[in-house]
Amino acid sequence: MPYVLKHNLTSQIYTCTLINGYRLPYYGTKYWDDEDTAAAEALPFLLAQSVDNGEAWEPLELTENQLKMCNVKLKNDPQLSLYWDDENRTLRVSASPSGS
């Protein structure tokens, strides 16, 4: 099962510009294939992304389908953010008011 990063306080799913298999940039959800790798690589990854408070993010296990829906809901648009609803185990998308 894939693992993504969820912010402890806001439940936001970490998204950023990534490179796909064709070496093209896209806006999507960073994930790891297993929990151990996610736990080991998350903080160095966030630091490389210039995220100040990397400790506020924790690995979250999703199904393959939920992971696919992350990128579908983002529509390759950096103005969109994803949030995880723990109670319903679903994603919701929100547009950034600042446009950034």
Side-chain angles (χ1 to χ4, degrees), residues 18-88:
L18 302 164
I19 304 297
N20 68 16
Y22 300 103
R23 298 181 189 223
L24 298 172
Y26 72 99
Y27 184 71
T29 307
K30 174 66 176 164
Y31 75 95
W32 292 268
D33 291 325
D34 60 77
E35 186 174 18
D36 291 338
T37 304
E41 295 180 3
L43 188 55
F45 172 79
L46 290 169
L47 291 173
Q49 297 290 312
S50 299
V51 174
D52 290 334
N53 193 7
E55 298 83 15
W57 297 86
E58 64 186 7
L60 170 71
E61 182 180 25
L62 297 180
T63 66
E64 293 286 338
N65 190 53
Q66 288 169 324
L67 179 60
K68 288 177 187 174
M69 289 308 300
C70 286
N71 290 332
V72 168
K73 288 179 180 259
L74 285 173
K75 302 177 194 174
N76 203 26
D77 184 347
Q79 293 185 34
L80 298 179
S81 299
L82 290 175
Y83 294 87
W84 180 250
D85 180 342
D86 278 319
E87 185 177 325
N88 296 314

